[in-house]
Amino acid sequence: MAAPPNVPAMAAMEAGEKVSVWNYDLKPEGENDVTIKITKCGICATDIHMINNAWGFSVYPLIPGHEIVGEVVSYGSKVSGFQKGDLVGLGCLAQSCEKCPKCTTQQRDNLCPELKFTYFHTVVDETGEFQHRGGFASYIRTPASKVLKIPEGLDPAEAAPLLCAGVTTFTPLNEFSGNTGSLKGKKVGVIGPGGLGHLAVQFAAKMGAETVVIARNEAKKDFAFQLGATGFLVSESKDDMEAAARSFDFIISCISGGELDVHPYINLLAPYGTLHFVGIPDKPLTLDLMTMMFTRRSISCSPVGSTQQCRDMLEFAAKHGVKPIIERFPHSKAEEALEKVRSGKIRFRAVLENDLLSDAHAEKSGYGQ
Ligand SMILES: [Zn+2]
Ligand SMILES: [Zn+2]
C-alpha cells in the first residue's frame, strides 16, 4: 500500500523537549526516491545530542533516528534495484553529491564534501525544498542511493543498530585488515564493551583476531568472553597494563565523553600499532609524541562508514552471526527508550518497533524484553 501524504512520527518540537506524536507531510516522491514503511529504528547517542541541539544545528520539529529498517512501498521512476516489499535499511548518510571521487571511484561517500545526514539537512530536488527526517516515524521518503538491502539471515530489529553502531566499529577493523575481513595473527584491544564496543568485540573476534576487552574493572569480564573475546585487561591495574605493554597491533576506543589519558593505552601498542577512536572524549587529548615516535605508533579516528562499507558490514554480520544485544520499545514509547539510553541503563542498544500505524498494532505483542 502506498504511503499516505501525511504520516505519524515522534518528534521533539523544541530543543531538549520530550518526543511526542507529530504528523508530518512526506515530501513528494522524486524520481530518485524510495519510500519506506518503517518497521524498526535504533536509538543512538547522537539522537539525544540532536534533540538537545548540542551542536547548534538541529532544526525543529526534529524527528530523530538514523538506524532505520523497513519495507519498500514505492519508488521513483529512475530507481532501480528495489522491489516493493524489499527489507531495506537507512543509516546516517542521507545524500551526497554522487559525482566526486569519494562518491564514485573510491566508494567513500561518507567523506563527500557535500554529504547530508539523515534528519540534519534541508535540501532541494526536482520536487522542491524538503528536510531530511529520521526514523522515529512511520514512513520515510529518501534518495535511493543510500538505501541498503538487509541481507537474509539478519533479524530486522537486530539489523537496525548495525546501520550506525555496527558500521562505525566494523569499518576501522576491516580497514586495518586491508579490507580482507581477516585479522588472524593480530592482537586487537577494545576499550569499553558498551553499545559500540560490544559490536567491535564481535567483529574483531569473527575476523580471527586475538581480541582483548579493556575495561576499568572486571564487571563485564564474563560478558566479554561470551562475545568472543579471548582476553580481558583491567585498565586500573598498573601491573596488568605493564605486563601487556608493546603487545597490541590495534586498539579501538569505543568510549564517548569524559576525560581520557591516552598514554596508558599508547603504552600497550606494539611498534607500528594504532590507537583508533570511534568515540570522542569531551576534553581535547593531551599527547606526548615521545611515546609514539620511537615505536612508530599512530593515533587515528573515523566517523561512520560509507554506503559500500555498510553493505560489506551487513554481509559480514549476516555471514558470521554478529548481532547487537537490544531492548525493544514501541515507537510510541520512544521517550521511555530515550530516557533509558540517557541514564546509561540500556543493554546495549534500544530499538523502536513501529506501532504508530493502525495496521502495525498487531505486531505489538512481545514488546518489552
Ligand atoms: Zn549513530
Ligand atoms: Zn561526493
Side-chain angles (χ1 to χ4, degrees), residues 96-104 109 111-115:
S96 65
C97 81
E98 310 295 345
K99 292 182 195 122
C100 75
K102 291 281 172 277
C103 284
T104 56
D109 54 356
L111 307 178
C112 170
E114 291 177 40
L115 180 64

PDB file of all heavy atoms in Angstrom, residues 96-104 109 111-115, ligand 2:
ATOM      1  N   SER A  96      24.502  12.412  -0.916  1.00  0.00           N
ATOM      2  CA  SER A  96      25.812  13.007  -1.203  1.00  0.00           C
ATOM      3  C   SER A  96      25.814  13.410  -2.672  1.00  0.00           C
ATOM      4  O   SER A  96      24.830  13.184  -3.375  1.00  0.00           O
ATOM      5  CB  SER A  96      26.945  12.029  -0.878  1.00  0.00           C
ATOM      6  OG  SER A  96      26.886  10.905  -1.729  1.00  0.00           O
ATOM      7  N   CYS A  97      26.932  13.984  -3.151  1.00  0.00           N
ATOM      8  CA  CYS A  97      26.894  14.587  -4.495  1.00  0.00           C
ATOM      9  C   CYS A  97      26.812  13.543  -5.610  1.00  0.00           C
ATOM     10  O   CYS A  97      26.347  13.835  -6.704  1.00  0.00           O
ATOM     11  CB  CYS A  97      28.081  15.524  -4.692  1.00  0.00           C
ATOM     12  SG  CYS A  97      29.623  14.694  -5.140  1.00  0.00           S
ATOM     13  N   GLU A  98      27.284  12.322  -5.349  1.00  0.00           N
ATOM     14  CA  GLU A  98      27.293  11.216  -6.321  1.00  0.00           C
ATOM     15  C   GLU A  98      28.173  11.512  -7.546  1.00  0.00           C
ATOM     16  O   GLU A  98      28.088  10.835  -8.566  1.00  0.00           O
ATOM     17  CB  GLU A  98      25.876  10.829  -6.800  1.00  0.00           C
ATOM     18  CG  GLU A  98      24.850  10.595  -5.704  1.00  0.00           C
ATOM     19  CD  GLU A  98      25.150   9.399  -4.791  1.00  0.00           C
ATOM     20  OE1 GLU A  98      25.994   8.567  -5.164  1.00  0.00           O
ATOM     21  OE2 GLU A  98      24.557   9.327  -3.700  1.00  0.00           O
ATOM     22  N   LYS A  99      29.013  12.565  -7.460  1.00  0.00           N
ATOM     23  CA  LYS A  99      29.861  12.926  -8.608  1.00  0.00           C
ATOM     24  C   LYS A  99      31.347  12.926  -8.257  1.00  0.00           C
ATOM     25  O   LYS A  99      32.183  12.675  -9.114  1.00  0.00           O
ATOM     26  CB  LYS A  99      29.490  14.340  -9.098  1.00  0.00           C
ATOM     27  CG  LYS A  99      28.120  14.423  -9.729  1.00  0.00           C
ATOM     28  CD  LYS A  99      27.876  15.850 -10.233  1.00  0.00           C
ATOM     29  CE  LYS A  99      26.397  16.056 -10.516  1.00  0.00           C
ATOM     30  NZ  LYS A  99      25.811  17.152  -9.768  1.00  0.00           N
ATOM     31  N   CYS A 100      31.691  13.261  -7.029  1.00  0.00           N
ATOM     32  CA  CYS A 100      33.104  13.427  -6.665  1.00  0.00           C
ATOM     33  C   CYS A 100      33.785  12.046  -6.561  1.00  0.00           C
ATOM     34  O   CYS A 100      33.106  11.023  -6.502  1.00  0.00           O
ATOM     35  CB  CYS A 100      33.224  14.206  -5.353  1.00  0.00           C
ATOM     36  SG  CYS A 100      32.812  13.242  -3.875  1.00  0.00           S
ATOM     37  N   PRO A 101      35.122  12.002  -6.544  1.00  0.00           N
ATOM     38  CA  PRO A 101      35.815  10.708  -6.444  1.00  0.00           C
ATOM     39  C   PRO A 101      35.429   9.921  -5.187  1.00  0.00           C
ATOM     40  O   PRO A 101      35.368   8.698  -5.211  1.00  0.00           O
ATOM     41  CB  PRO A 101      37.297  11.096  -6.410  1.00  0.00           C
ATOM     42  CG  PRO A 101      37.361  12.450  -7.011  1.00  0.00           C
ATOM     43  CD  PRO A 101      36.069  13.120  -6.715  1.00  0.00           C
ATOM     44  N   LYS A 102      35.160  10.635  -4.094  1.00  0.00           N
ATOM     45  CA  LYS A 102      34.761   9.936  -2.865  1.00  0.00           C
ATOM     46  C   LYS A 102      33.441   9.189  -3.084  1.00  0.00           C
ATOM     47  O   LYS A 102      33.246   8.091  -2.555  1.00  0.00           O
ATOM     48  CB  LYS A 102      34.602  10.939  -1.711  1.00  0.00           C
ATOM     49  CG  LYS A 102      35.919  11.545  -1.242  1.00  0.00           C
ATOM     50  CD  LYS A 102      36.679  10.595  -0.336  1.00  0.00           C
ATOM     51  CE  LYS A 102      38.066  11.073  -0.005  1.00  0.00           C
ATOM     52  NZ  LYS A 102      39.092  10.779  -0.997  1.00  0.00           N
ATOM     53  N   CYS A 103      32.524   9.800  -3.826  1.00  0.00           N
ATOM     54  CA  CYS A 103      31.210   9.182  -4.060  1.00  0.00           C
ATOM     55  C   CYS A 103      31.259   8.103  -5.135  1.00  0.00           C
ATOM     56  O   CYS A 103      30.437   7.196  -5.129  1.00  0.00           O
ATOM     57  CB  CYS A 103      30.202  10.239  -4.511  1.00  0.00           C
ATOM     58  SG  CYS A 103      29.624  11.279  -3.177  1.00  0.00           S
ATOM     59  N   THR A 104      32.200   8.213  -6.088  1.00  0.00           N
ATOM     60  CA  THR A 104      32.187   7.314  -7.244  1.00  0.00           C
ATOM     61  C   THR A 104      33.289   6.264  -7.138  1.00  0.00           C
ATOM     62  O   THR A 104      33.088   5.235  -6.519  1.00  0.00           O
ATOM     63  CB  THR A 104      32.285   8.128  -8.550  1.00  0.00           C
ATOM     64  OG1 THR A 104      33.461   8.949  -8.492  1.00  0.00           O
ATOM     65  CG2 THR A 104      31.051   9.008  -8.751  1.00  0.00           C
ATOM     66  N   ASP A 109      31.481   7.605   0.216  1.00  0.00           N
ATOM     67  CA  ASP A 109      30.561   8.747   0.219  1.00  0.00           C
ATOM     68  C   ASP A 109      30.415   9.374   1.601  1.00  0.00           C
ATOM     69  O   ASP A 109      29.941  10.505   1.726  1.00  0.00           O
ATOM     70  CB  ASP A 109      29.190   8.361  -0.365  1.00  0.00           C
ATOM     71  CG  ASP A 109      28.574   7.148   0.318  1.00  0.00           C
ATOM     72  OD1 ASP A 109      29.222   6.543   1.196  1.00  0.00           O
ATOM     73  OD2 ASP A 109      27.430   6.798  -0.039  1.00  0.00           O
ATOM     74  N   LEU A 111      32.725  10.515   3.143  1.00  0.00           N
ATOM     75  CA  LEU A 111      33.719  11.594   3.164  1.00  0.00           C
ATOM     76  C   LEU A 111      33.452  12.637   2.076  1.00  0.00           C
ATOM     77  O   LEU A 111      34.280  13.512   1.827  1.00  0.00           O
ATOM     78  CB  LEU A 111      35.131  11.004   3.001  1.00  0.00           C
ATOM     79  CG  LEU A 111      35.503   9.882   3.990  1.00  0.00           C
ATOM     80  CD1 LEU A 111      36.895   9.340   3.700  1.00  0.00           C
ATOM     81  CD2 LEU A 111      35.426  10.369   5.441  1.00  0.00           C
ATOM     82  N   CYS A 112      32.294  12.557   1.412  1.00  0.00           N
ATOM     83  CA  CYS A 112      31.931  13.544   0.373  1.00  0.00           C
ATOM     84  C   CYS A 112      31.789  14.928   1.015  1.00  0.00           C
ATOM     85  O   CYS A 112      31.158  15.057   2.062  1.00  0.00           O
ATOM     86  CB  CYS A 112      30.595  13.140  -0.272  1.00  0.00           C
ATOM     87  SG  CYS A 112      29.917  14.412  -1.358  1.00  0.00           S
ATOM     88  N   PRO A 113      32.369  15.978   0.368  1.00  0.00           N
ATOM     89  CA  PRO A 113      32.250  17.319   0.969  1.00  0.00           C
ATOM     90  C   PRO A 113      30.805  17.833   0.999  1.00  0.00           C
ATOM     91  O   PRO A 113      30.504  18.756   1.753  1.00  0.00           O
ATOM     92  CB  PRO A 113      33.138  18.196   0.075  1.00  0.00           C
ATOM     93  CG  PRO A 113      33.413  17.398  -1.150  1.00  0.00           C
ATOM     94  CD  PRO A 113      33.234  15.950  -0.805  1.00  0.00           C
ATOM     95  N   GLU A 114      29.932  17.234   0.200  1.00  0.00           N
ATOM     96  CA  GLU A 114      28.528  17.687   0.195  1.00  0.00           C
ATOM     97  C   GLU A 114      27.604  16.699   0.912  1.00  0.00           C
ATOM     98  O   GLU A 114      26.390  16.673   0.667  1.00  0.00           O
ATOM     99  CB  GLU A 114      28.055  17.896  -1.244  1.00  0.00           C
ATOM    100  CG  GLU A 114      28.739  19.089  -1.896  1.00  0.00           C
ATOM    101  CD  GLU A 114      28.344  19.254  -3.339  1.00  0.00           C
ATOM    102  OE1 GLU A 114      27.152  19.058  -3.643  1.00  0.00           O
ATOM    103  OE2 GLU A 114      29.227  19.555  -4.147  1.00  0.00           O
ATOM    104  N   LEU A 115      28.176  15.899   1.783  1.00  0.00           N
ATOM    105  CA  LEU A 115      27.391  14.872   2.473  1.00  0.00           C
ATOM    106  C   LEU A 115      26.240  15.481   3.292  1.00  0.00           C
ATOM    107  O   LEU A 115      26.417  16.478   3.984  1.00  0.00           O
ATOM    108  CB  LEU A 115      28.316  14.098   3.413  1.00  0.00           C
ATOM    109  CG  LEU A 115      27.670  12.977   4.219  1.00  0.00           C
ATOM    110  CD1 LEU A 115      27.149  11.880   3.305  1.00  0.00           C
ATOM    111  CD2 LEU A 115      28.676  12.395   5.210  1.00  0.00           C
TER     112      LEU A 115
HETATM  113 ZN    ZN B   2      30.518  13.393  -3.392  1.00  0.00          ZN
END
